[in-house]
Amino acid sequence: MEVDAAIQGQKHNILKKLNICLSKKALIILFNCLLLTIGQIGGPLLVRIYFLNGGKRKWLTSWLLTAGFPCLILPISISYAKTRAKLSASKFLVTPRLFVASAILGCLLGIDSYLYTFGMSYLPVSVSSLLGSSQLAFTSIFAYFVVKHKFTHYSINAVVLMTFGSVVLGLHMNGDRPSGESNANYTLGFFMTLAGAALHGFIMPALEFAFKKAEVVVTFDLVLQVQFLVSMFATMFCTIPMIINKDFQAIPKEAAEFELGPMKYYMILGVAAMALQCMMIGSIGVIFSTSSLFGGILTSLLVPVQQILAVICLTESFSGEKGMALAMCLWGFASYFYGQYKVNQKQPDVRQDQPEHEEV
């Protein structure tokens, strides 16, 4: 009886600790999703406002995506202060292999930032957000090859639908071109945004792959340091063309000529930098706490919100073609989400059957 009571007590303690861990993980996921949502919605709107009111510096807005990385020094310092008493604690958790991966991914992120920014300078937010949502299709494809995520007929259906959504927008691009925008610039912005979505679709599973091959325990502290490195290298990458183009020297002049005034110019750039950094932190945090595919799903889910805010805040039109593309995007998202739900339903059954098989 005493042995049974002790076993029951141990089981109770294990379940209690498991519930606490699950609760902490749920809070981390929720927090990262919130950061990603704030950045994904606010960042593109502010960047578009910058371009609509006289802003012309594409590398500057690309630089803003990751220029807020020094704010990560505070949480990294706090995290280190809590663990420095342990003998095993290390100031720098990133391995040489992970450092190289962070440098490469940072440079790719810098290129991706420019592709997206170039597109946003010529396209309405309602169009660029729909094109950007196609990254879920690219993420699914690259995740299959890079981190061996399995394809299902649900995910294939989502890829096809989102591809058709982009095709619909491409076939009717002339009808949504902003006044004063040349057809060549609009077309180039269209394909640059699509290329940005494809590159981002590669970066997300590549980052997940880097964590899997890190040869160290992936902790929240390690993720913070990787975030810092990736953002730092992306910022350095964007800084070089900014120096060549003399963008830093041009900021005061551009602020003086900004249609909304110098004060709002600096305010828009500052808030955009904070919002985009939130998107960066949230994106990498979501990959760490869930997967790259879930990050792609969440990004696609935010597209309708971006559409509504673009129509309200920027008075953009919402044509039938956009409605059809949005419907395809949501249909693809629903298909993919349902497929993941079916897969997750099967996993508990497999785990329950596993002990019985081992006992036999």
Side-chain angles (χ1 to χ4, degrees):
M1 293 294 292
E2 291 180 0
V3 174
D4 291 340
I7 292 173
Q8 290 295 328
Q10 288 179 350
K11 286 183 177 179
H12 176 74
N13 291 333
I14 292 171
L15 288 173
K16 188 176 179 181
K17 290 179 180 179
L18 182 61
N19 288 330
I20 292 172
C21 290
L22 290 173
S23 299
K24 287 182 178 179
K25 185 174 182 180
L27 287 173
I28 291 173
I29 293 173
L30 184 62
F31 178 71
N32 285 311
C33 287
L34 180 62
L35 290 177
L36 180 58
T37 301
I38 293 171
Q40 188 72 30
I41 294 173
L45 285 172
L46 291 166
V47 170
R48 184 58 182 166
I49 290 172
Y50 164 80
F51 284 116
L52 286 174
N53 291 278
K56 297 177 182 177
R57 301 287 166 176
K58 298 179 182 64
W59 279 111
L60 171 61
T61 47
S62 305
W63 182 79
L64 289 177
L65 177 65
T66 52
F69 75 92
C71 70
L72 292 171
I73 295 175
L74 180 61
I76 290 174
S77 300
I78 294 173
S79 176
Y80 172 69
K82 289 181 178 180
T83 58
R84 66 180 179 178
K86 299 179 181 179
L87 295 175
S88 59
S90 174
K91 292 182 180 179
F92 198 63
L93 302 175
V94 177
T95 61
R97 179 181 294 183
L98 199 53
F99 182 87
V100 173
S102 299
I104 295 171
L105 291 173
C107 293
L108 290 176
L109 182 61
I111 298 171
D112 189 47
S113 303
Y114 181 76
L115 292 173
Y116 269 127
T117 298
F118 193 96
M120 282 190 285
S121 67
Y122 297 120
L123 301 179
V125 173
S126 53
V127 173
S128 61
S129 63
L130 281 170
L131 290 174
S133 68
S134 63
Q135 71 164 301
L136 176 58
F138 292 112
T139 301
S140 300
I141 294 169
F142 285 120
Y144 174 78
F145 291 104
V146 178
V147 287
K148 308 303 180 185
H149 280 298
K150 293 182 179 179
F151 258 130
T152 65
H153 56 278
Y154 297 105
S155 57
I156 294 173
N157 186 45
V159 170
V160 172
L161 286 168
M162 290 186 171
T163 302
F164 272 113
S166 299
V167 171
V168 168
L169 288 175
L171 292 175
H172 298 84
M173 63 173 63
N174 287 331
D176 196 53
R177 189 173 71 241
S179 58
E181 204 69 77
S182 68
N183 186 46
N185 285 339
Y186 189 88
T187 304
L188 185 59
F190 183 94
F191 287 106
M192 291 282 270
T193 304
L194 206 55
L199 182 55
H200 195 73
F202 170 76
I203 290 173
M204 293 180 76
L207 185 59
E208 184 180 353
F209 179 79
F211 279 134
K212 286 186 175 181
K213 298 296 182 178
E215 297 181 350
V216 291
V217 178
V218 180
T219 62
F220 184 68
D221 298 341
L222 177 63
V223 172
L224 282 176
Q225 293 184 12
V226 170
Q227 284 179 332
F228 183 88
L229 289 174
V230 171
S231 298
M232 181 185 71
F233 281 110
T235 304
M236 290 168 60
F237 181 88
C238 294
T239 300
I240 295 171
M242 283 187 69
I243 294 173
I244 295 172
N245 294 333
K246 298 182 179 180
D247 284 350
F248 290 108
Q249 294 92 320
I251 289 175
K253 182 181 178 181
E254 190 174 67
E257 297 173 353
F258 196 63
E259 293 178 11
L260 299 179
M263 184 176 179
K264 288 187 178 179
Y265 174 86
Y266 291 112
M267 188 182 299
I268 288 170
L269 290 184
V271 177
M274 289 188 287
L276 291 170
Q277 189 60 41
C278 284
M279 184 177 70
M280 268 297 302
I281 295 172
S283 179
I284 297 179
V286 165
I287 294 172
F288 159 68
S289 53
T290 56
S291 69
S292 57
L293 287 176
F294 181 81
I297 291 172
L298 180 59
T299 301
S300 299
L301 183 61
L302 295 172
V303 169
V305 182
Q306 289 178 308
Q307 296 282 310
I308 294 169
L309 289 176
V311 172
I312 295 173
C313 301
L314 304 177
T315 62
E316 294 182 0
S317 62
F318 192 79
S319 60
E321 290 80 15
K322 288 183 186 177
M324 187 181 298
L326 178 59
M328 287 183 177
C329 173
L330 293 176
W331 186 5
F333 166 77
S335 174
Y336 186 86
F337 186 80
Y338 181 73
Q340 289 297 109
Y341 170 75
K342 296 287 285 185
V343 170
N344 292 336
Q345 264 194 330
K346 292 178 183 179
Q347 285 178 349
D349 297 334
V350 174
R351 285 194 295 266
Q352 288 174 4
D353 295 340
Q354 188 70 26
E356 295 179 5
H357 177 72
E358 287 177 355
E359 288 175 1
V360 173

